[in-house]
Amino acid sequence: IFNTEIQYIVHNALQQMPEQSRKIFLLSRHQNLANKQIAEKLDISLKTVEAHITKTLRMLRLALKDYIISILI
């Protein structure tokens, strides 16, 4: 159940993100593309890719903060 709840929270958090951030994150984490590959594929700068991934990870950490604390205890 715990894993299912986390997947639900991650899914919802990703759905609330801007489309470009979500797309970049999914290319990075689900398709295992390097940041440089993502930048080339989307015709954007490497720094833009890095900024979107950082922003997405920050938002996911915030969405999962209660669960992260539970895991650590």
Side-chain angles (χ1 to χ4, degrees), residues 53-71:
I53 291 173
T54 299
K55 176 180 166 184
T56 302
L57 289 173
R58 188 178 304 122
M59 293 175 78
L60 287 173
R61 274 194 298 274
L62 240 160
L64 292 168
K65 69 179 186 231
D66 294 333
Y67 289 90
I68 292 171
I69 291 170
S70 297
I71 291 169

Side-chain angles (χ1 to χ4, degrees), residues 32-47:
N32 298 316
L33 293 182
N35 291 357
K36 184 176 179 182
Q37 292 173 302
I38 296 168
E40 290 170 356
K41 182 179 179 99
L42 299 179
D43 196 28
I44 57 177
S45 75
L46 180 58
K47 289 290 184 191

Side-chain angles (χ1 to χ4, degrees), residues 23-39 41 49 53:
K23 179 189 264 185
I24 290 169
F25 182 79
L26 292 175
L27 287 171
S28 172
R29 297 311 197 260
H30 289 213
Q31 294 186 23
N32 298 316
L33 293 182
N35 291 357
K36 184 176 179 182
Q37 292 173 302
I38 296 168
K41 182 179 179 99
V49 171
I53 291 173

